[in-house]
């Protein structure tokens, strides 16, 4: 039990936490220690990434840290198990020590953190390096008092009470009865009174607008959760139906795939923002982007243009848009992380995102096989032909063809109809005897195809 006194937490392949439905990140703090004060014999989680969500307090090991144990795994403290958050005491001694935040949790008799446990224990968070513990404590207390994990019942009741508070902004009750008495605007006092009424009317309009916006954002989160549940149900139903019978309706399958694509584009439940991540913004954005591009890359044949990824990612983030510089910086950080995707730049300057399993040598081999067909030996191939074979966009296929040309595999012919690529037969020609025709190799295959076409 020494190593599992906290609940385990799931993480993605890029190191991001797997959030529960409706769970949203509130704050991220780097290099934080997690210590159990009641039992010093329990293992200490050192120099990890602390993530505060609306449901849990997550601790993730830092792979670049030398102080954290290599076998450390992500753990979680449910906010439902927190019973008290202690106020931090200011002292002269504390000015020279690392900031600490203490809170009390309920535990089982054997010391495991659990909601409604029979005993209690105190956990200490030690903030090392650059961090903002005061801001974290405020968000921690707000998330704990918010009790978002209870469900949508409290949120709906709170939303019903808001119009009463906002409507009680100091308006005249006479307007409700239709007998509003307006004082005449006379002198300086009348002008000031009229301007005051205008400001009060503007303030009420802004309150009503923000009330509608908050209600819309609340419903948007619920719609994202509902869309994710529907997508999972569609995926499970499609997999079960494929195992039961092989004969499926093509129209029904296409409609299901279209529905899945629509649900995937609804949005990300908890996008990484500068407000929540702080100094870790680009690092966490990079990890979230690596998780996001998996499904689009699988559908696009393992490679996509960076501009297409930018549009899809921003559409999924909703109102939390990112700039092209942020996207490029997030992609450049993939070299430091162990993620299955990478950023690649072709010689033409086109930047793409591709899976690490997407081998250029395999692509070149398939292109050479295509270009050595009898018809291709005579007419060549276009970017559309290569795109149809590789299962990628024509623009990406053209970049692969140009890369194969730079390697010496292909030759290019530019005509009014566009680019045509042919197999490079100059490698089989002997420079010392240009008229020697070999009875083997690519040159011989090209000769046979030319004779057969006459």
């Amino acid at each position: 039990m020494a190593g599992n006194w906290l609940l385990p937490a799931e993480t993605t392949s890029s190191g991001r936490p797997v959030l529960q439905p409706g769970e949203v990140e509130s704050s991220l703090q780097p290099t934080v220690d997690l210590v159990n004060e009641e039992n010093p014999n329990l293992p200490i989680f050192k120099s990890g990434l602390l993530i505060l969500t609306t449901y849990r307090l997550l601790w993730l090991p830092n792979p670049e840290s030398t102080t954290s144990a290599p076998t450390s795994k992500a753990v979680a403290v449910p906010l439902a198990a927190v019973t008290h958050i202690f106020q931090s005491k200011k002292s002269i001694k504390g000015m020279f020590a690392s900031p600490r935040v203490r809170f009390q949790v309920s535990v089982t008799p054997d010391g495991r953190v659990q909601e409604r446990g029979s005993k209690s224990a105190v956990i200490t968070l030690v903030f090392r390096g650059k961090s903002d513990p005061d801001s974290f404590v405020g968000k921690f207390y707000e998330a704990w008092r918010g009790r978002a994990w209870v469900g949508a019942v409290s949120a709906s009741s709170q939303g019903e009470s808001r119009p009463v508070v906002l409507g009680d902004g100091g308006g005249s009750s006479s307007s409700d009865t239709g007998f509003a008495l307006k004082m005449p605007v006379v002198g300086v006092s009348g002008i000031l009174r009229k301007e005051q009424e205008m400001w009060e009317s503007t303030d009420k309009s802004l309150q009503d607008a923000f009330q509608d916006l908050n209600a819309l954002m609340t419903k948007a989160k619920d719609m994202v959760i509902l869309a994710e549940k529907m997508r999972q149900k569609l995926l499970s139903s499609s997999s079960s139906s494929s195992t039961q019978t092989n004969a499926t309706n093509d129209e029904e399958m296409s409609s299901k795939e279209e529905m899945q694509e629509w649900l995937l584009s609804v949005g990300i439940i908890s996008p990484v923002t500068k407000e929540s991540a702080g100094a870790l913004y680009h690092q966490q954005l990079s990890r979230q982007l690596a998780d996001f591009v998996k499904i689009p890359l699988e559908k696009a044949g393992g490679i996509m243009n960076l501009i297409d990824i930018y549009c899809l990612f921003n559409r999924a983030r909703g109102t939390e848009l990112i700039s092209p510089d942020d996207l490029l910086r997030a992609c450049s950080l993939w070299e430091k992380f162990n993620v299955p995707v990478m950023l690649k730049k072709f010689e033409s300057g086109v930047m793409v995102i591709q899976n690490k399993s997407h081998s250029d040598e395999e692509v070149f081999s398939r292109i050479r096989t295509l270009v050595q067909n009898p018809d291709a030996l005579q007419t060549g191939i276009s970017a559309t032909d290569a795109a149809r074979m590789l299962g990628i966009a024509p623009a990406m296929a053209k970049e692969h063809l140009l890369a194969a040309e730079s390697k010496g595999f292909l030759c290019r012919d530019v005509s009014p109809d566009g680019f045509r690529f042919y197999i490079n037969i100059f490698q089989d020609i002997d420079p010392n005897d240009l008229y020697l025709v070999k009875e083997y190799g690519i040159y011989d295959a090209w000769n046979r195809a030319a004779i057969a076409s006459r």
Side-chain angles (χ1 to χ4, degrees):
M1 123 64 192
N4 55 357
W5 60 280
L6 293 176
L7 298 178
E10 296 182 7
T11 57
T12 63
S13 58
S14 64
R16 288 277 302 164
V18 178
L19 301 180
Q20 300 175 4
E23 188 177 11
V24 180
E25 297 177 8
S26 301
S27 178
L28 288 85
Q29 299 293 329
T31 59
V32 178
D33 298 349
L34 198 150
V35 185
N36 190 328
E37 291 187 358
E38 303 296 329
N39 190 351
N41 295 326
L42 293 176
I44 300 175
F45 298 91
K46 292 186 176 181
S47 300
L49 174 64
L50 186 68
I51 302 178
L52 172 66
T53 70
T54 52
Y55 293 179
R56 298 174 295 173
L57 196 63
L58 302 170
W59 185 93
L60 278 66
N62 185 7
E64 299 179 359
S65 176
T66 57
T67 57
S68 60
T71 57
S72 298
K73 296 183 179 180
V75 293
V77 178
L79 296 185
V82 178
T83 57
H84 183 70
I85 300 176
F86 297 96
Q87 294 289 340
S88 57
K89 298 180 180 180
K90 303 293 183 179
S91 62
I92 298 178
K93 183 180 179 181
M95 295 176 61
F96 301 97
S98 300
R100 296 171 181 263
V101 175
R102 300 170 65 246
F103 60 95
Q104 188 175 355
V105 296
S106 60
V107 296
T108 59
D110 57 351
R112 300 173 186 265
V113 175
Q114 188 178 9
E115 183 181 357
R116 298 176 182 176
S118 58
K119 294 184 178 181
S120 61
V122 177
I123 297 178
T124 302
L125 302 176
V126 184
F127 294 82
R128 306 186 184 278
K130 295 181 180 180
S131 59
D132 190 2
D134 295 334
S135 175
F136 172 80
V137 171
K139 294 181 180 179
F140 185 19
Y141 189 78
E142 182 181 353
W144 178 54
R145 290 294 301 269
R147 299 179 62 84
W149 60 88
V150 174
V153 179
S154 60
S156 60
S157 62
Q158 183 180 2
E160 293 173 359
S161 63
R162 285 176 183 172
V164 179
V165 177
L166 294 174
D168 194 18
S172 176
S173 61
S174 61
S175 62
D176 298 335
T177 59
F179 297 99
L181 180 60
K182 294 186 178 181
M183 298 296 292
V185 180
V186 180
V188 177
S189 61
I191 296 175
L192 293 176
R193 185 169 61 251
K194 184 177 180 180
E195 190 159 341
Q196 179 67 23
E197 292 176 357
M198 184 183 67
W199 279 109
E200 289 179 357
S201 176
T202 304
D203 183 63
K204 186 176 183 302
S205 300
L206 287 175
Q207 287 180 353
D208 294 340
F210 279 110
Q211 172 191 341
D212 297 338
L213 182 60
N214 291 332
L216 178 62
M217 293 301 294
T218 303
K219 294 299 181 183
K221 293 179 181 178
D222 296 338
M223 291 300 296
V224 170
I225 297 172
L226 178 61
E228 182 65 22
K229 290 181 180 179
M230 293 175 62
R231 187 178 71 86
Q232 295 294 338
K233 188 174 181 180
L234 282 174
L235 291 175
S236 61
S237 62
S238 61
S239 61
S240 61
S241 61
S242 61
T243 54
Q244 292 175 0
T245 177
N246 294 327
T248 57
N249 191 353
D250 295 338
E251 184 177 355
E252 183 180 356
M253 289 299 295
S254 62
S255 63
K256 282 187 176 182
E257 291 178 357
E258 184 179 357
M259 186 67 177
Q260 290 176 14
E261 292 180 359
W262 179 80
L263 293 175
L264 282 173
S265 64
V266 170
I268 301 175
I269 298 178
S270 180
V272 175
T273 62
K274 292 182 179 179
E275 181 181 0
S276 62
L280 301 174
Y281 171 65
H282 289 99
Q283 182 186 120
Q284 293 300 314
L285 181 67
S286 176
R287 295 181 183 274
Q288 189 174 63
L289 179 61
D291 294 332
F292 173 80
V293 299
K294 288 182 180 178
I295 297 179
L297 285 179
E298 290 178 0
K299 295 184 177 181
I303 184 171
M304 285 189 69
N305 197 320
L306 187 61
I307 299 176
D308 297 337
I309 293 293
Y310 176 74
C311 296
L312 290 175
F313 193 51
N314 263 339
R315 184 175 65 174
R317 288 176 64 89
T319 57
E320 302 293 343
L321 303 179
I322 64 172
S323 65
D325 293 336
D326 290 337
L327 180 73
L328 187 59
R329 187 172 177 181
C331 294
S332 62
L333 290 176
W334 284 341
E335 298 178 358
K336 300 181 180 179
F337 308 140
N338 186 19
V339 293
V341 292
M342 59 179 292
L343 177 68
K344 179 181 178 180
K345 185 176 182 179
F346 286 99
E347 294 182 359
S348 61
V350 176
M351 304 182 73
V352 298
I353 294 177
Q354 67 177 31
N355 291 324
K356 288 185 177 179
S357 59
H358 189 83
S359 173
D360 291 341
E361 299 299 330
E362 180 182 355
V363 173
F364 292 156
S365 176
R366 296 177 65 182
I367 291 176
R368 293 185 67 175
T369 302
L370 175 65
V371 82
Q372 290 184 38
N373 291 334
D375 294 338
L377 288 173
Q378 290 297 311
T379 61
I381 62 173
S382 63
T384 305
D385 300 331
R388 191 179 296 110
M389 180 199 63
L390 297 175
I392 60 178
M396 296 296 97
K398 181 180 178 181
E399 295 298 330
H400 282 302
L401 291 174
L402 292 174
E405 180 193 13
S406 63
K407 296 288 185 180
F409 300 147
L410 303 178
C411 293
R412 181 188 1 160
D413 178 53
V414 182
S415 65
D417 297 334
F419 287 3
R420 304 292 296 185
F421 292 86
Y422 298 84
I423 191 67
N424 184 10
I425 62 175
F426 293 100
Q427 297 178 351
D428 284 5
I429 297 178
D430 189 359
N432 298 323
D433 191 355
L434 299 177
Y435 299 98
L436 176 63
V437 179
K438 300 179 181 179
E439 296 182 356
Y440 58 89
I442 301 175
Y443 188 39
D444 179 63
W446 180 81
N447 276 328
R448 293 178 183 272
I451 295 173
S453 62
R454 294 178 180 177

